[in-house]
Amino acid sequence: MAAREHPRRNAAIEARPLGYALGGEILGVDMRDPLDADTVAAIRRAWHAHHVIVLRDQNASPDDILRFARGFGDLDDHAQTPFYRKDGYPELLEITTKPKDGKPSETRNVGRNWHSDYAYTPRPAAASMLYCVEKPPIGGDTMFCNMARAYETLSDTMRGIVDGLHSVYDISLVAGFYERDPAEVAETKRLNPPIAHPAVKVHPESGTRALYVSERVAYFHGMTAAESRPLIDFLCEHATGPENVYRHVWRPGDLVCWDNRTTMHVALTDFDQNQPRHMLRATVVGEPSGFVVD
Ligand code: OGA
Ligand code: MN
């Protein structure tokens, strides 16, 4: 572990809003310090209020990231996408534009359409924590939108409609999916058959209701694709309008934590794809949900 000139305590935690719709910066936390229950509780409160929280200027090792993330729940070992794990760290996904073993990185194009993590699995992610190791000089930003606000700002009638729907998630709708290695595409499809989840999620801790529809939804269960399409498009457009978005401009040493029950995100291609962009993600598992459709 790196030597530290000014040991800090996690006692005084503050959150400063970063956006009107969502996003808050947590001040006064050093990920290298052990996490006590009060700190976890304070961070959770801020997280429920802001949906996406940002810790800046960290100097975290893979072990620090894992220790911090474990403070917020059980971590996923990413068995649903086994090809993207960091060597020796199954609980860290490596999201990188850097070639691996002389081949293009399989994660170079992760997150290119609006989504909530692991929605195409029977145990969608509760939360994700993405740590920036290296970023291009310009761009490589990530945008987040508030799905609780998206739900609240629908008409009563439309809320009534979506309350009764199930979204069918299909991993093949991940943008750029078929640009990946064909054997890995086949295997990840086999591991993740289309699955239906309620189109409105009730947050198990805060009770907040949030829209659970994304650009990876093929149709609503019991409806045809043609019937579903205009509604999926409307809901995605409604949710991702600029006034409902926080755009994160990364710096190395940033940890961005998002609640997958109340937000969606998208990784932008606003950078030179030959430049290194290197991130590590820990994933807090959520509650089992949904049913596989045939
Ligand atoms: C993710 C993801 C966003 C990014 O890690 O789940 O979508 O900006 N990544 O890399
Ligand atoms: Mn993602």
Side-chain angles (χ1 to χ4, degrees):
M1 186 190 274
R4 183 160 357 158
E5 286 169 26
H6 302 290
R8 281 192 279 160
R9 286 173 47 77
N10 288 339
I13 290 163
E14 286 172 54
R16 155 181 105 75
L18 293 171
Y20 180 65
L22 75 168
E25 182 177 354
I26 304 272
L27 304 167
V29 172
D30 187 324
M31 289 169 64
R32 294 171 301 185
D33 290 341
L35 263 180
D36 58 73
D38 288 349
T39 304
V40 170
I43 294 174
R44 269 192 201 284
R45 270 196 303 279
W47 204 349
H48 287 153
H50 297 288
H51 307 283
V52 173
I53 52 171
V54 176
L55 280 70
R56 298 207 100 138
D57 302 317
Q58 302 294 320
N59 185 9
S61 67
D63 289 313
D64 293 332
I65 299 170
L66 289 177
R67 191 183 53 252
F68 181 85
R70 280 197 190 101
F72 297 89
D74 294 338
L75 299 188
D76 208 306
D77 65 358
H78 303 116
Q80 304 297 127
T81 52
F83 311 106
Y84 314 150
R85 301 188 278 202
K86 180 173 169 60
D87 291 341
Y89 289 90
E91 291 163 328
L92 285 178
L93 285 182
E94 204 165 39
I95 293 164
T96 188
T97 58
K98 291 186 185 182
K100 248 195 138 178
D101 307 325
K103 290 191 287 183
S105 157
E106 285 298 303
T107 57
R108 68 191 182 281
N109 63 359
V110 158
R112 296 284 189 249
N113 53 357
W114 282 103
H115 67 284
S116 175
D117 289 331
Y118 271 2
Y120 49 76
T121 78
R123 208 160 173 198
S128 302
M129 301 186 172
L130 190 61
Y131 184 76
C132 178
V133 178
E134 197 176 352
K135 60 147 292 183
I138 299 168
D141 301 353
T142 308
M143 298 204 299
F144 298 88
C145 73
N146 183 338
M147 296 301 269
R149 194 163 176 270
Y151 177 74
E152 284 157 20
T153 52
L154 293 171
S155 65
D156 291 348
T157 304
M158 184 57 97
R159 274 202 300 273
I161 291 170
V162 292
D163 278 340
L165 296 177
H166 279 77
S167 306
V168 177
Y169 284 87
D170 185 337
I171 193 171
S172 68
L173 296 179
V174 167
F177 187 63
Y178 289 104
E179 289 160 25
R180 298 179 190 168
D181 177 78
E184 296 183 12
V185 164
E187 180 63 359
T188 38
K189 274 183 82 162
R190 190 188 68 76
L191 288 169
N192 300 283
I195 184 164
H197 296 292
V200 175
K201 232 184 212 307
V202 181
H203 195 292
E205 291 153 36
S206 64
T208 302
R209 295 174 78 78
L211 202 55
Y212 199 60
V213 174
S214 85
E215 292 182 348
R216 298 175 178 178
V217 172
Y219 60 93
F220 293 112
H221 192 248
M223 290 171 65
T224 66
E227 289 168 343
S228 308
R229 179 50 42 201
L231 187 49
I232 296 168
D233 289 347
F234 164 74
L235 292 169
C236 288
E237 206 175 308
H238 169 73
T240 62
E243 69 290 336
N244 198 36
V245 164
Y246 164 68
R247 179 170 178 150
H248 188 71
V249 180
W250 292 93
R251 297 199 305 237
D254 284 354
L255 181 80
V256 177
C257 310
W258 58 90
D259 190 328
N260 282 297
R261 280 87 62 112
T262 57
T263 65
M264 286 200 291
H265 57 284
V266 63
L268 301 178
T269 51
D270 61 339
F271 69 106
D272 174 354
Q273 308 282 300
N274 299 310
Q275 296 276 349
R277 181 181 189 274
H278 192 84
M279 323 285 269
L280 295 173
R281 188 184 104 193
T283 312
V284 179
V285 294
E287 56 290 342
S289 164
F291 53 92
V292 170
V293 297
D294 31 45

